Amino acid sequence: MLQRKKVHTRKFDLVVVGGGVAGCVAAVAAARLGVKTVLVHNRPVLGGPSSSECCANADGGFVCGASDYVNANARECGILEELKAEARYRKSVGYDQHWSLVLREWVEREPHLMLLLNTEAYSLRMNGRRISGVSAVTLDSGLTWRLRAPLFVDCSGDAFLGYTAGANFRHGREGRAEFGESLAPEQPDLKTMGSSIAFRAVDAGQPVPFEPPPWALDLSDHAAFPYRSHRNVKKGYWWLEYGGELDTVHDNETIYRKLLSILFGIWDHIKNHGDHGADNYVINWISSIPAKRESRRLMGDHLLTQNDVVNHTAFDDAVAYGGWPIDLHPPAGFFSGGHPGSPPPFVFPGLYHIPFHCLYSRDVSNLMMAGRNISVTHVALGTTRVMATCALMGQAVGAAAFLAKKYQVEPKAVATKHMAELQALLEREDAALPGRGGADPQDLARLARVAADSSMSLGAMLRSGLGAASGLEAASGLEAASGLEGAGEADGVVRLPLVAPEHDLERYDPCNEPPADRRRAQMFPVSGDHLESITLWFDNENGREVEVELTLHQAARYNQFDSREPLVAVKRAVPSGRDLAVCFDLQAPVRPRGIYYFQLSAVAGVAVLAERRYLPGLYLKSDGCYPDNNHILFALHPLQQVFGPENVIGSPARADGWPHMWISNPARGLPQSLTLMLDQPRTISGAELIFDTNLHKDIKSGVAPECVRDYQLELRRDGLWRPLLEVRDNHFRHRRHSFEPLTAEALRLTVTATHGDPSARVYAFRVFAPGVGG
């Protein structure tokens, strides 16, 4: 007897199709704001190319973005930062390949969000230029779904919703003349970047032979695949790429079969041709689907181009940002014969904004999109396509769905009539753009006075920032012994040669080109109007006294070391020896809250001492493209008060040229308290805290040492302090607390422990009335 097909009809406020990182973040963002949402995904696990069925390291580390190269304090926040913080923490407590699980938990715990996995959207219902419904089938149960909603988001990667709805789209590469893009090909074509698969291999504990299948490519000679490092035999490889000269949508299975033949040809080369240290290794996992970089791109009211990206076009409707290099893989992929990514020199655009006009269809009036299918040219896609950038787009369209529901309008009206509210909403959700943000008019803390038990001073730093007496003496001009005798990397001190060493050609990384000017330089903010002196610590291995020149410059913007004329140039003799404090007399007028940097002459045999401790607002000039947490050890006279408690009110919640953070004096230890004294007794029901999880340099496992671990909130009423809440074992940046309405004269945050840093660090302390925060 034939069983009748089961059909479920459901109505939602929002339908999101595609459960990659962008789709997950979009769905969670909307649901948290009360939008009844369904997330439809055609795979058994969430995450797209970062998922456990596609990524060799499915722990969230593959979700790359603006902070991976060059850009300082640029890591993406909001919901993605929550997800990555949880994934990093779980990796330290016994989890592995768990990213898809974290995504699933975050989606399933939202009460306004329904998840349909293994569910393929296969047709649309249209009403003029609007989508009114999506039909989908759950593959492992045969359930058919009729999903109705006034709003839709296409996060499918291949733009299924937009393509099926008849939206205007592009596929392939624009010609150079169309938009004046220097990185575009001379003539337009239908070629794209290719797709990749990955593998994992394990040590079997004994030699394991390998016989390649007859259909594997013959890659016995490494000359067949130049520039493609395969030292790591445990997992690989992003450059295992093919399909850009085919149709990455319709030829997907053909592309996958070819990628398998390449993979087994490479494994044959590793196992049977030369010593790769892989005798005991056996492949135990291969991606079941290709990870795509490019297919269709839906057209919005703006088309983001290379020129927008590199010129940092200022958009009034900016809602997301990027900063990955313009990384255009050759369409021939593995068979290109050249570099597998963009040919050097790489184009690093810095941080640029993505406008909301790129995130909704110009043809289908109730369709938004997030991910690699947004309104960009092929060249611009080279930088916008990475998953952390796509996550910011997802949070933006999720928040826009809330406003569209609130005002009963379509996405274009959100862009034209409610953009300020959308940008403010993203800031409240900790997804503000770098350089944006400030006083929230609903935040009662903006009317408060703030005080702290202590604050760290810039310029009294020595050995983990403890401000030892010797450092303070040196700041006053005394060339006393620095107290660094025997210091090394084990206790946080790093020695940087003033003449930067040449690259190791055996490990040459074409992404990591050194700057033309390789002199060491350190950027820092100032609070006062005058710098008298700066003291540095050197090693001089020349066996004789040498001269080092220090020049002081005002920076045009943070993390840019390109000022031509110095404000001051000072030469000092450095005796032979180690750990030598040398004071440079500056007597330089400076601009309060300005950004300055000093630069050192390149002297052979001399190293300057640096500290391995992240401090926001301090930037060591990179000798390549990868950021690190180091900064040159220096003492300033007078000391600069840049880490004060006033930073937690009405400031952006990330560092730029200014730290925007309270940091307690590390010499005072913990606990340390921060107190908000309200302008008058207020009824409150919510408090929000933003801690430091080091947006400059990501960690792979565990919790950033700068993050607050244990803390307490107290409330003062009628002159008496009363406990409000206590949190232990925190590992998140953004903490939102709700409680029953209470009258308060003041609130006090007491940090009792961090995950390793000696200071309490807080970006923001916000307080809200009932119905607003928490």
Side-chain angles (χ1 to χ4, degrees):
M1 181 178 178
L2 292 176
Q3 188 175 14
R4 296 182 64 184
K5 180 170 67 173
K6 290 186 178 180
V7 178
H8 295 283
T9 300
R10 296 285 190 274
K11 290 184 178 181
F12 296 90
D13 299 321
L14 177 69
V15 175
V16 179
V17 173
V21 173
C24 289
V25 171
V28 170
R32 285 185 178 178
L33 293 167
V35 179
K36 186 179 178 183
T37 304
V38 61
L39 175 60
V40 181
H41 189 48
N42 62 357
R43 306 300 305 176
V45 293
L46 296 168
S50 67
S51 73
S52 56
E53 68 171 353
C54 204
C55 181
N57 274 349
D59 56 9
F62 194 59
V63 181
C64 300
S67 64
D68 288 83
Y69 295 98
V70 176
N71 304 303
N73 285 303
R75 193 165 78 241
E76 298 78 4
C77 291
I79 293 169
L80 179 64
E81 172 64 10
E82 289 176 36
L83 292 162
K84 294 190 77 171
E86 181 68 15
R88 291 190 297 263
Y89 171 73
R90 291 195 188 184
K91 189 169 183 178
S92 70
V93 293
Y95 288 76
D96 193 25
Q97 310 300 326
H98 54 287
W99 176 243
S100 292
L101 177 64
V102 172
L103 291 172
R104 182 167 185 161
E105 286 185 22
W106 250 242
V107 168
E108 290 187 332
R109 72 183 188 180
E110 293 299 329
H112 298 292
L113 178 52
M114 179 179 181
L115 175 62
L116 296 176
L117 288 173
N118 290 305
T119 301
E120 185 78 57
Y122 63 85
S123 69
L124 303 185
R125 183 176 179 179
M126 300 293 295
N127 182 6
R129 295 178 60 244
R130 294 172 52 84
I131 303 172
S132 60
V134 171
S135 294
V137 60
T138 300
L139 303 177
D140 54 359
S141 67
L143 291 176
T144 297
W145 301 88
R146 306 280 190 248
L147 307 174
R148 309 286 186 247
L151 284 170
F152 295 82
V153 176
D154 192 333
C155 297
S156 65
D158 289 338
F160 165 79
L161 288 181
Y163 176 76
T164 307
N168 189 277
F169 71 94
R170 290 179 176 236
H171 187 111
R173 306 187 293 181
E174 291 81 7
R176 190 171 303 163
E178 184 173 4
F179 299 105
E181 296 177 306
S182 63
L183 299 178
E186 192 68 37
Q187 299 298 325
D189 57 41
L190 294 178
K191 296 178 181 180
T192 65
M193 290 177 275
S195 305
S196 292
I197 59 172
F199 70 87
R200 286 195 295 270
V202 294
D203 188 339
Q206 61 185 20
V208 179
F210 176 71
E211 180 180 327
W215 42 264
L217 284 185
D218 180 2
L219 298 173
S220 54
D221 186 353
H222 184 215
F225 51 109
Y227 305 105
R228 288 155 175 82
S229 172
H230 47 281
R231 295 186 193 91
N232 185 357
V233 299
K234 297 180 181 180
K235 60 182 177 65
Y237 299 111
W238 64 264
W239 47 256
L240 208 165
E241 180 177 355
Y242 178 74
E245 295 176 321
L246 302 178
D247 185 323
T248 52
V249 179
H250 298 122
D251 297 326
N252 194 48
E253 285 303 310
T254 299
I255 291 168
Y256 183 72
R257 287 194 295 271
K258 188 67 172 182
L259 286 168
L260 284 176
S261 73
I262 299 170
L263 188 157
F264 281 108
I266 293 167
W267 192 245
D268 174 50
H269 171 87
I270 289 171
K271 291 286 289 184
N272 300 322
H273 302 278
D275 183 8
H276 294 86
D279 289 352
N280 291 5
Y281 279 85
V282 57
I283 290 178
N284 71 340
W285 174 88
I286 298 173
S287 307
S288 56
I289 55 173
K292 295 181 186 178
R293 291 178 175 86
E294 182 178 5
S295 56
R296 306 180 186 111
R297 293 167 277 120
L298 299 174
M299 294 298 98
D301 276 340
H302 181 77
L303 183 68
L304 196 75
T305 69
Q306 174 190 338
N307 298 319
D308 288 325
V309 168
V310 299
N311 296 328
H312 300 173
T313 300
F315 295 106
D316 292 337
D317 63 328
V319 292
Y321 69 91
W324 186 263
I326 301 180
D327 186 14
L328 297 168
H329 293 206
F334 181 81
F335 300 102
S336 69
H339 188 269
S342 283
F346 271 49
V347 176
F348 295 101
L351 298 182
Y352 59 88
H353 290 170
I354 299 171
F356 187 62
H357 281 84
C358 291
L359 305 184
Y360 63 86
S361 169
R362 71 188 188 195
D363 305 303
V364 181
S365 62
N366 63 338
L367 177 64
M368 294 184 284
M369 54 271 192
R372 58 181 166 85
N373 59 350
I374 68 165
S375 185
V376 294
T377 63
H378 166 80
V379 174
L381 181 68
T383 173
T384 65
R385 62 184 173 83
V386 291
M387 284 179 278
T389 304
C390 294
L392 294 182
M393 304 174 201
Q395 183 135 13
V397 298
F402 164 73
L403 294 178
K405 177 188 176 184
K406 176 181 177 180
Y407 295 109
Q408 293 297 293
V409 296
E410 293 182 334
K412 185 165 187 171
V414 173
T416 57
K417 298 179 180 179
H418 306 288
M419 184 47 54
E421 188 173 356
L422 175 58
Q423 291 167 332
L425 184 57
L426 290 172
E427 182 184 343
R428 279 290 314 281
E429 300 299 319
D430 195 29
L433 308 180
R436 297 281 183 93
D440 183 338
Q442 296 178 313
D443 177 12
L444 298 178
R446 79 191 193 284
L447 305 173
R449 291 180 294 113
V450 61
D453 288 350
S454 70
S455 296
M456 177 178 171
S457 298
L458 178 61
M461 298 179 301
L462 191 60
R463 304 192 75 167
S464 299
L466 294 183
S470 58
L472 295 173
E473 291 166 358
S476 302
L478 301 176
E479 294 184 29
S482 68
L484 285 169
E485 200 65 44
E489 291 202 22
D491 55 0
V493 174
V494 183
R495 302 173 191 277
L496 303 175
L498 296 191
V499 176
E502 295 300 318
H503 277 285
D504 180 355
L505 295 181
E506 289 297 315
R507 297 186 176 274
Y508 174 64
D509 179 356
C511 307
N512 197 30
E513 284 289 325
D517 183 351
R518 301 183 70 189
R519 285 178 292 177
R520 303 293 187 183
Q522 175 69 56
M523 189 169 291
F524 59 96
V526 300
S527 60
D529 60 5
H530 190 76
L531 287 178
E532 293 186 20
S533 66
I534 185 168
T535 298
L536 307 178
W537 284 263
F538 294 97
D539 288 352
N540 176 7
E541 299 179 352
N542 287 291
R544 56 180 175 81
E545 181 179 277
V546 297
E547 188 176 71
V548 173
E549 182 179 54
L550 178 147
T551 55
L552 180 70
H553 305 256
Q554 184 170 4
R557 71 183 302 272
Y558 77 98
N559 206 35
Q560 286 190 358
F561 298 84
D562 54 4
S563 298
R564 294 291 179 263
E565 295 298 323
L567 301 175
V568 179
V570 181
K571 295 180 180 179
R572 287 299 310 268
V574 178
S576 178
R578 289 172 61 84
D579 306 329
L580 303 167
V582 177
C583 180
F584 294 83
D585 187 46
L586 301 177
Q587 302 304 328
V590 293
R591 180 171 56 85
R593 291 183 69 95
I595 318 168
Y596 293 82
Y597 67 90
F598 59 82
Q599 187 162 261
L600 300 171
S601 57
V603 181
V606 178
V608 65
L609 272 61
E611 183 180 34
R612 196 181 297 279
R613 186 193 185 206
Y614 165 66
L615 286 172
L618 274 67
Y619 306 103
L620 176 66
K621 182 180 177 182
S622 175
D623 195 49
C625 68
Y626 301 116
D628 60 39
N629 289 325
N630 300 338
H631 61 264
I632 293 174
L633 274 169
F634 62 95
L636 292 174
H637 184 65
L639 302 177
Q640 302 298 302
Q641 308 307 321
V642 301
F643 301 118
E646 65 279 359
N647 286 336
V648 306
I649 298 177
S651 292
R654 73 164 73 226
D656 44 38
W658 192 255
H660 300 299
M661 183 195 293
W662 168 61
I663 302 180
S664 68
N665 184 344
R668 297 279 295 274
L670 298 173
Q672 289 285 304
S673 295
L674 187 67
T675 303
L676 292 179
M677 292 156 284
L678 300 175
D679 61 323
Q680 63 185 46
R682 298 274 186 174
T683 301
I684 63 172
S685 65
E688 294 183 16
L689 302 163
I690 298 183
F691 299 126
D692 183 13
T693 51
N694 192 339
L695 302 183
H696 186 60
K697 178 70 174 178
D698 207 354
I699 61 172
K700 303 302 181 185
S701 176
V703 186
E706 300 84 3
C707 184
V708 168
R709 189 187 75 192
D710 303 335
Y711 61 95
Q712 303 163 357
L713 275 179
E714 298 170 278
L715 175 149
R716 191 179 72 195
R717 187 174 64 217
D718 300 327
L720 298 176
W721 286 104
R722 310 161 193 267
L724 186 59
L725 58 91
E726 182 174 4
V727 174
R728 294 188 178 276
D729 298 320
N730 169 65
H731 55 270
F732 293 110
R733 165 182 157 89
H734 186 199
R735 294 304 306 259
R736 178 174 289 172
H737 297 292
S738 299
F739 38 83
E740 292 298 317
L742 297 167
T743 300
E745 302 160 351
L747 281 92
R748 182 164 64 198
L749 166 68
T750 300
V751 175
T752 56
T754 71
H755 284 273
D757 195 84
S759 296
R761 299 180 178 220
V762 181
Y763 270 118
F765 189 176
R766 301 168 181 161
V767 183
F768 296 97
V772 178

